[in-house]
Amino acid sequence: MPIENPTESFIRSLTESQNRLHGYIYSLLGNAHAAADVLQECNLVLWRKFGEFRPEGDFLAWAFGIARFQVMAYLRDRHREQKRLLLPELVDLLHDELAHSATQSEVRVGVLRQCLDRLPPKSRALVDLRYFRNQSMEQIAAEIRLSLSATKVALLRVRRALKTCIESRGEDGSPA
């Protein structure tokens, strides 16, 4: 696989982080419209700071730091309009907690991916049909040619296998 140039790596990282950045900003502001506005500003700042980007670094942590400052700027501007929403000190406290939570979420997603990869092909197909293609149980039963009851039992077993796999991994995603 060819090595990505820094611009491609930056764009890929920025694109992959949009949902997490929006969630982070929304959790600080509690307003979807404001979060969308701040996310756009954050994206502009990230692009302007492209020269500071290091492909080997933790893009999400870097982006969260920039987002935190964008949230504080937004709050500062709103304070001037007498619409103070959140104290900057509280933003700092929430930033630390949310950044930690996002890192833990990344680990959990990685563990889930590992466990999904370990599933037998038929079990993986069930998960794909139900959770990635959003098909109803009836549609799945028809597609795999099993009764509705047998399909439900099969999916229940797959979920249990995933739960066992996930629980057998440590906090850092390595086998316990």
Side-chain angles (χ1 to χ4, degrees), residues 70-130:
Q70 290 307 119
V71 166
M72 288 193 295
Y74 174 85
L75 294 173
R76 181 194 63 230
D77 294 346
R78 292 299 123 359
H79 176 67
R80 288 183 190 143
E81 298 169 8
Q82 299 301 325
K83 294 182 181 175
R84 187 157 195 162
L85 303 173
L86 198 59
L87 294 171
E89 297 81 18
L90 187 54
V91 169
D92 284 337
L93 289 172
L94 288 172
H95 165 76
D96 294 339
E97 181 60 35
L98 294 169
H100 176 73
S101 294
T103 301
Q104 293 298 21
S105 292
E106 288 293 311
V107 170
R108 287 191 297 266
V109 167
V111 168
L112 177 58
R113 283 189 182 127
Q114 291 172 2
C115 292
L116 283 169
D117 289 343
R118 291 183 175 165
L119 287 176
K122 288 183 180 180
S123 297
R124 177 70 173 123
L126 276 174
V127 170
D128 182 59
L129 291 170
R130 183 69 176 134

Side-chain angles (χ1 to χ4, degrees), residues 26-42:
Y26 177 77
S27 66
L28 291 173
L29 295 175
N31 177 307
H33 181 71
D37 290 345
V38 172
L39 176 62
Q40 292 306 312
E41 284 299 315
C42 182

Side-chain angles (χ1 to χ4, degrees), residues 144-155:
I144 64 173
R145 296 187 176 130
L146 286 178
S147 70
L148 182 58
S149 296
T151 303
K152 288 179 180 180
V153 169
L155 191 57

